Amino acid sequence: MSELDHWHPVALSSELGAKPLRADVCGQALVLFRAGEGVGALEDACAHRAFPLHRGRVEAGRVVCPYHGWRWDADGCGECPATPRAKPRATAFDCVERHGAVWVRRRGSEAAFPFLDVGGHTPAGTLRQRVKAPLELCLDNFIEVEHTPSVHAFLGYPAARLADVECATTVTDDSVRVWNHGPQRPLPSLVRALFRIPDGAYFIDDWTTRFSPVHSVYEQYFLDGPRGATAGDALRIAVFFTPVSARETDLFVFVYTTATRWEHSARAALQLPLLRALVRLEVWRDSALLAQMKDAPLPLRGRALGRFDKALVASRRLLERIYRGRDECHLPVVDDPA
């Protein structure tokens, strides 16, 4: 199985209007367009003379090349105005619209669509962030919490208490789970009030990473003490890592909360926009830092690794085996943390 065989989010639903839209995934340029009740994805090069189809228009659910007027439907079937009997074909991709995003995979692939359990949660927003760094470096960043005191503005643990944070990593044949427990760093009073977070709360950051496609789902909630009861509103955040090229990655972030739109509507009216803004800020800060590492070496072998880096080692191997379909004997060697 290759990278394009997996389902990838490639655009937000809000980005795809009446005009065709270019999307890049795994080094492949696609054109997205609305095809009746559905969406279509084709190679972004007209099969006639390779003109970029995203510069064309959409008519009756087909994308029209602006060069010679050839028309293409979502299945890649074409029409040539000058040669009506012609039956040209374009390269088409499977394409669906779910969770506020447009997803594609190689046509004919049997990869399952990723399951995103949102039961009991209220959608708070869907975000997209382009990161000028390779997939591996982005994934490394999002599966450890040691960087949060230095990089994040809100969620995470204080630098002076990192040694007190409990961290447990569990590896299966197709996933890596990381559970973190420790004192939440000080938060502004407005944030604590809106999310009902008690003073002196402990923060649980519990996520599972899977690799078809590459994504992490975070369960984040607070305790009213080191071993106290759950307090405040919980978050469920899913981050999907879509390679744009060998040096760039798109992050698609799906944000949910246990707060509802109808309970305490005045508070919710402030909470949901604030939550979107906070998540966007944290993701932007991560991406800004990663852009400075774009030329950093990718292999982990020979690197100095700590106890928060155990997930990086396991994830690199699963990424190669599941996502890229490389044989075990050809997987890169990485060092285990001390």
Side-chain angles (χ1 to χ4, degrees):
M1 181 175 285
S2 66
E3 296 177 359
L4 273 172
D5 289 324
H6 308 279
W7 284 106
H8 292 86
V10 294
L12 300 180
S13 294
S14 59
E15 295 175 314
L16 182 58
K19 297 180 180 180
L21 176 71
R22 173 170 170 153
D24 293 276
V25 54
C26 304
Q28 172 74 60
L30 306 180
V31 60
L32 309 178
F33 59 99
R34 297 205 173 273
E37 296 298 319
V39 286
L42 306 175
E43 184 178 2
D44 188 28
C46 184
H48 176 216
R49 296 275 291 278
F51 194 89
L53 289 173
H54 78 274
R55 299 187 180 278
R57 63 189 185 277
V58 179
E59 292 182 355
R62 294 178 294 181
V63 62
V64 182
C65 178
Y67 194 4
H68 299 99
W70 289 36
R71 302 163 182 265
W72 307 95
D73 67 17
D75 290 323
C77 299
E79 290 183 2
C80 170
T83 313
R85 290 190 176 186
K87 303 292 183 183
R89 298 284 303 181
T91 301
F93 294 78
D94 291 334
C95 188
V96 298
E97 188 172 14
R98 296 179 188 172
H99 304 298
V102 179
W103 307 67
V104 301
R105 72 174 181 186
R106 192 190 309 276
R107 181 146 294 190
S109 169
E110 297 182 356
F113 191 87
F115 175 65
L116 185 54
D117 182 9
V118 297
H121 289 70
T122 298
T126 304
L127 314 174
R128 178 185 183 184
Q129 177 70 50
R130 175 69 56 87
V131 185
K132 295 184 180 300
L135 168 63
E136 289 89 342
L137 293 185
C138 292
L139 182 61
D140 288 349
N141 175 84
F142 278 81
I143 58 176
E144 53 88 358
V145 297
E146 190 176 7
H147 73 283
T148 59
S150 303
V151 181
H152 286 196
F154 294 96
L155 291 181
Y157 306 103
R161 300 290 301 277
L162 271 179
D164 299 329
V165 175
E166 299 176 51
C167 180
T169 301
T170 304
V171 181
T172 71
D173 287 340
D174 63 356
S175 68
V176 177
R177 179 185 176 187
V178 181
W179 175 89
N180 302 280
H181 167 280
Q184 166 62 44
R185 66 193 299 174
L187 291 170
S189 57
L190 175 62
V191 174
R192 288 198 296 106
L194 286 177
F195 293 93
R196 300 182 292 190
I197 303 170
D199 191 20
Y202 271 59
F203 179 51
I204 304 294
D205 201 354
D206 180 0
W207 66 79
T208 299
T209 302
R210 300 186 185 276
F211 301 87
S212 180
V214 183
H215 66 287
S216 298
V217 178
Y218 300 79
E219 304 290 345
Q220 299 178 326
Y221 55 96
F222 303 90
L223 306 178
D224 61 9
R227 303 298 172 189
T230 303
D233 295 315
L235 306 178
R236 179 172 294 166
I237 300 176
V239 180
F240 285 76
F241 304 85
T242 297
V244 175
S245 66
R247 307 306 300 177
E248 289 187 311
T249 306
D250 268 345
L251 305 181
F252 287 83
V253 185
F254 303 85
V255 186
Y256 300 86
T257 175
T258 52
T260 70
R261 295 181 185 273
W262 313 117
E263 180 186 7
H264 309 299
S265 58
R267 183 175 62 85
L270 293 174
Q271 185 193 53
L272 297 184
L274 177 61
L275 177 56
R276 286 193 296 272
L278 293 182
V279 173
R280 186 181 297 278
L281 173 63
E282 301 288 42
V283 172
W284 178 84
R285 290 173 70 97
D286 281 323
S287 66
L289 179 131
L290 286 167
Q292 301 175 55
M293 296 179 60
K294 61 182 180 180
D295 297 320
L298 290 180
L300 289 175
R301 185 163 181 77
R303 316 312 296 174
L305 300 177
R307 67 186 181 96
F308 289 106
D309 299 326
K310 290 183 179 180
L312 277 62
V313 175
S315 293
R316 286 293 183 94
R317 295 185 64 82
L318 290 178
L319 186 147
E320 293 296 317
R321 179 172 61 82
I322 298 174
Y323 183 65
R324 296 199 171 111
R326 295 181 181 172
D327 188 83
E328 287 280 355
C329 65
H330 295 109
L331 294 182
V333 177
V334 293
D335 292 333
D336 284 318

